[in-house]
Amino acid sequence: MKQIASILVAVGLAFGGSLQVVADAAIERIEPPFWWAGFEERNLQILVYGDRISDYMPEISAEGISLKQINRVKSPNYLFLDVTLDASVKAGSFDITFNKDGADSLTHSYELRAREAGSAERKGFDTSDAIYLITPDRFANGNPDNDNADGMGDALDRSNKDGRHGGDVAGITQHLDYIEDMGFTAFWLNPVLENAQPSGSYHGYATTDFYKVDPRFGSNEAFRDMVKKARAKNIDVIMDMIVNHSGSEHWWLKDLPTDDWINYSGEYVNTSHRRTTIQDPYSAEFDRKKFSDGWFVETMPDLNQRNKLMADYLIQNAIWWIEYSGIAGIRMDTYPYPDKHFMTDWTRRVMREYPNFNIVGEEWSVDPLIVSYWQRGKANRDGYVSSLPSMMDFPMQDTLVKALTEEESWGGGLMSLYKLMASDVLYPEPDNLVIFPDNHDMSRIFTQLGEDKNLYKMAIAHTLTMRGIPQIYYGTEILMKNPGTTDHGIIRTDFPGGWAGDQINAFTGAGLSAEALEAQGYVQKLLRWRKDKQVIHTGKLMHYVPENGVYVYFRYNDTDKVMVALNKNAAETELPLARFSEMLAGVSQGEDVASGQTFDFVNSITLPARSALILNLAK
């Protein structure tokens, strides 16, 4: 019976997902479920879980594969196997045999797959990209049959702003044409892994199985198919990952391997959220621990990455998803909250296998001094060395809103945006920052700007022409808003047209207001223009001190120049050109990208009221 069960386990794992418990089986889970030959890192940790599996003695006898160490832990239901793969090891299967005195042996066939050609050289997202951020549950329901899943609570309820609404991977796949037609070249999905939580599971940030797509979003295979189809359209996919915490319903919470698997010994202690303690040269150990080891909420137990078994598990999981699915980037949630030395190891290991890959970390601070600490290449005073390529530019987002809504003054309004750019000296790679007008955790930009359409256009124009990698949240292109509330369930409203019976369809434009259609067309025009505009991707930046409510900057290289003029004034404004002579030498006119209007460069140009001009310059 046990030998039959082990065969069932092997068959189940071959489909790329974690196992559900098989009756009478000694092995319930093997993670990673399979691996690949040809990685730079030759060591592989295999987690084996089953009833008193530690009573068994595992053995491996295969060419090029060595079982170096068997790690038994406090729970008798775990084994952690340290396996070494020789550089010459070939793809194929090998047996792991589990022997026990007086009992039948168990045999599990473990698969080493061949890596996809060019996998190690895959290019991550960069400044040539424009990223579309999608909350999968709220974008489109492509497969109503998976709206609910057997054995899982939190059933479909579109009337509940915090409930599951049915959006899924199939819905995204079916609307790749829309993403491509808009001009986006990448999209970042909020987490899609299993969240078997009793409520509020739609957002995806409380993982209960690190190797399985939530069945209400689809399957591992469906996710991989979506990535493949996106790549065929030259669209990259960025996966949202979390290593700081799991969900409280994760399977290992029912049977912890060790006493230190979860921080604070598994007891709920809330994080202080005081990020500065990690960098503060005068901070107390108590405060540093409270920040890093504390839990976000009671339903998100904080993982202890100082436990080597946990650390290896999380590192391998990231590499597994990259290799399995074909993604071109990772957005790492709450980057400063886990153990910071582990985060360096995690990032270094990923980048070692994929040197051209990109990872962006979330550090929700509006202080560039705090954010820059985490970017690769920064020489930090405390000696901390990071390997993280990219950061979310929260200081830019916060300052952009203030610059557009505050009254103009000596140090405020557009001047604050100008002054912020001086902070780029803190970043080793300012061009590799992800910039954005809003995201899934804050009010929609249209709401932040008081539903002023002109200020909205200025924010979009700035985001799509400034240094860095732009990201636009789904629905921002059609003026989605959240008036009178900051409730996340409202901010993450369903994208119109993603559900059968929707009266408004933003994918086709049917039923959209004239204002929404205009905004959508504006975003599309700028995205399509940006897509092939090398000077915006890699050109240098020069900006001028704002004067009289106008901020002017240029993107330029040896062959091309673009002039951007943001005019906050409520009336047309005359802009003298003499002080821009360094950039305008030999330039005779500029054509506005959005309107197509041509401006002759003689002595001055007239800026429309409350506007953003993006001028392709011609000699």
Side-chain angles (χ1 to χ4, degrees), residues 195-207:
N195 270 234
Q197 297 289 115
S199 63
S201 68
Y202 79 91
H203 58 72
Y205 286 98
T207 308

Side-chain angles (χ1 to χ4, degrees), residues 389-425:
S390 177
M391 296 299 299
M392 304 296 299
D393 196 347
F394 281 94
M396 178 75 80
Q397 190 282 329
D398 181 73
T399 305
L400 176 62
V401 173
K402 289 178 180 177
L404 295 177
T405 56
E406 290 179 346
E407 291 292 328
E408 290 300 299
S409 65
W410 172 257
L414 291 171
M415 189 62 71
S416 63
L417 197 55
Y418 172 83
K419 291 191 298 182
L420 176 74
M421 298 308 296
S423 298
D424 273 9
V425 299

Side-chain angles (χ1 to χ4, degrees), residues 5 20 139 146 162 190 297 345 371 379-380 386 451 486 523:
Q20 301 302 312
F139 189 64
N146 65 19
D162 297 318
N190 290 143
V297 292
D345 289 341
V371 177
N380 290 305
S386 179
E451 298 186 17
T486 57
V523 173

